[in-house]
Amino acid sequence: TDPVQVAHNATAQPVCLDGGPAGYYLDMGDDPTRWVIWLAGGGVCADLSECQYRAKGGLGSSKEWPSRRTADKYHGGDEILYNGEDDNPAFSSWSKVYIPYCSGDAWLGSQQGEFDPWAQNRGVGGTHFAGHAILVAVMKELMKEPLRIDTAKTVVLSGTSHGAYGTFMHVDWLQQLLPSVDVRGNPQGGWFGAPISNWINFFQRSTDHDPTQFHVTSWIFNLDNYFVPPQVAECLADAEHGAIALPEGFAAYYPVS
């Protein structure tokens, strides 16, 4: 069965690490009332030099993104985007959106202009950090005619690795944005700090060799503008940023129903 093929659409704003346009891939399925939105993963910047390096490739720039994309469970973990009933019986007929990850900020940044969150005089030089703003821009596009995702019955937000972390952070935000839609979260990984914290290790049934890798992301909270849901903001106020801004840390701040 052929996996889904989707067309790339450029968004005017916001931008990837290199300042170029972000974007998304769209496949309108047989059922326009049910949607899957996939946030791609791909690690996180550890310092400015790494961000500048990422800005030269697909994790920080859209320059080399293909005009069409094929879902790939072996490298992207996104078999939920497959169209074939045999491979994806639950979601094969759903409409699907794939949002590439090009911000290096765990989908949290809303920074305007270049910024260096590691510099003593922050804000001088640097790259662009707009992960959350990219998601906002894509959702605005999807809410326009003729797509009107805001009139859908069900929307599933999903992703792997830092896309899964973005799912943890944004599922309640998405529900508020789409109040008449049944919004569900399906983070596939992203529980950084656990013995198996990313999709590749889970798929291979192996132990993550660096289970605390996400602790390098405390720099995100040096940005002038970033997004976290209210529960996580409360969690951050109570503990060290780098150690607690993880699902296993902020899960206790979410109500259980």
Side-chain angles (χ1 to χ4, degrees), residues 5-28:
Q5 295 249 342
V6 286
H8 171 243
N9 298 267
T11 58
Q13 291 291 336
V15 297
C16 297
L17 282 169
D18 68 341
Y24 64 101
Y25 294 84
L26 171 67
D27 175 66
M28 288 303 299

Side-chain angles (χ1 to χ4, degrees), residues 38-110:
W38 181 268
L39 303 181
V44 67
C45 292
D47 52 41
L48 180 59
S49 62
E50 184 175 334
C51 281
Q52 292 170 333
Y53 177 79
R54 290 168 68 99
K56 299 176 182 179
L59 286 174
S61 173
S62 62
K63 292 179 180 178
E64 298 180 2
W65 290 355
S67 60
R68 301 182 68 83
R69 182 187 181 278
T70 300
D72 183 357
K73 68 179 180 179
Y74 295 104
H75 296 94
D78 53 356
E79 61 265 43
I80 196 173
L81 302 181
Y82 277 42
N83 276 342
E85 292 186 7
D86 292 340
D87 294 320
N88 190 19
F91 299 99
S92 59
S93 65
W94 290 38
S95 298
K96 304 171 184 77
V97 178
Y98 177 96
I99 311 179
Y101 178 49
C102 66
S103 58
D105 59 2
W107 292 99
L108 299 184
S110 292

